[in-house]
Amino acid sequence: MPDSKNSTCNEQAFDQFFKSHAKLLRSYLYYKFGDLDQAEDIVQDSFIKLWNNCAKVPLDKAKSYVYTIATNLGISIARHQQVKFRHQNYITQRKSDVTNESPEFVMLEKEYMEKLKNAIADLPDRQREVFLLSRIDKKTYREIAELSNVSVKAIEKLMHKALLSLRKKIGNI
């Protein structure tokens, strides 16, 4: 793309664009995600992506491009933080559980969990999906029915079959 005055690849035009939008973008990200340092990092990353793709992004579309990139980066970072937080809580909980339980109990628990994972994996797709949505994601039968576009009765029947199958493979505990 030619280095015209209205091009994003023009250093002066890019510099002017950066100066006029960086603070607003930083504020937007700070209000949206609540972390000023993270917002500043995302602003820098967004403008770097804009510069790297300057030939593809006209100046009149640059604001939309930068805000979209920034929002997506912020959401990605927030999701990553949630995963780290869940993992950290799980490890903390497991450490406290392990120290309070006997080695025999821990071994039996591991064996049971392996048996349960295998039994769940062996369920037919629809039964496994309904079981996991209900028991792991804590969704109601009505919510699962809406997600699957079937009746609540169909979900109840699938769950019943899944539970029967799991009881047969694992036994009543």
Side-chain angles (χ1 to χ4, degrees):
M1 181 175 231
D3 200 27
S4 71
K5 287 192 175 205
N6 291 333
S7 170
T8 312
C9 293
N10 178 297
E11 286 187 39
Q12 289 177 328
F14 186 86
D15 187 50
Q16 182 61 35
F17 179 79
F18 177 82
K19 288 178 181 173
S20 64
H21 291 89
K23 283 185 181 180
L24 292 172
L25 181 58
R26 187 195 67 194
S27 296
Y28 164 77
L29 293 168
Y30 174 61
Y31 296 143
K32 186 164 183 73
F33 299 108
D35 185 339
L36 187 59
D37 291 333
Q38 176 184 320
E40 289 173 352
D41 290 343
I42 292 172
V43 168
Q44 293 299 318
D45 291 343
S46 300
F47 277 97
I48 289 170
K49 284 190 183 217
L50 174 62
W51 181 254
N52 290 337
N53 293 304
C54 69
K56 299 175 189 171
V57 183
L59 196 57
D60 61 333
K61 305 282 185 196
K63 181 177 179 183
S64 158
Y65 180 85
V66 168
Y67 272 77
T68 301
I69 294 293
T71 301
N72 290 342
L73 283 171
I75 290 169
S76 178
I77 291 169
R79 283 185 185 148
H80 180 69
Q81 295 294 354
Q82 287 176 340
V83 169
K84 279 176 40 179
F85 181 72
R86 270 189 257 137
H87 183 69
Q88 187 177 23
N89 282 346
Y90 176 76
I91 288 176
T92 305
Q93 179 185 2
R94 292 300 301 155
K95 283 182 182 176
S96 66
D97 287 350
V98 171
T99 57
N100 295 334
E101 304 298 341
S102 70
E104 294 85 19
F105 178 82
V106 172
M107 184 185 71
L108 288 172
E109 182 184 33
K110 282 183 184 178
E111 287 175 7
Y112 173 76
M113 290 305 288
E114 192 62 35
K115 213 176 187 184
L116 178 62
K117 285 179 190 174
N118 291 335
I120 291 172
D122 289 343
L123 288 173
D125 290 342
R126 293 288 293 139
Q127 289 179 23
R128 183 176 53 248
E129 178 185 1
V130 169
F131 179 80
L132 292 173
L133 284 169
S134 175
R135 302 304 166 135
I136 305 301
D137 292 344
K138 306 290 186 210
K139 299 232 180 268
T140 64
Y141 288 172
R142 180 176 304 281
E143 291 171 329
I144 299 169
E146 289 172 6
L147 286 170
S148 303
N149 292 324
V150 296
S151 69
V152 174
K153 279 288 185 197
I155 298 301
E156 290 173 354
K157 185 74 172 170
L158 286 167
M159 187 64 169
H160 178 72
K161 286 180 178 180
L163 291 172
L164 286 176
S165 178
L166 290 174
R167 278 191 197 109
K168 185 186 264 185
K169 289 182 181 174
I170 297 174
N172 275 338
I173 295 179

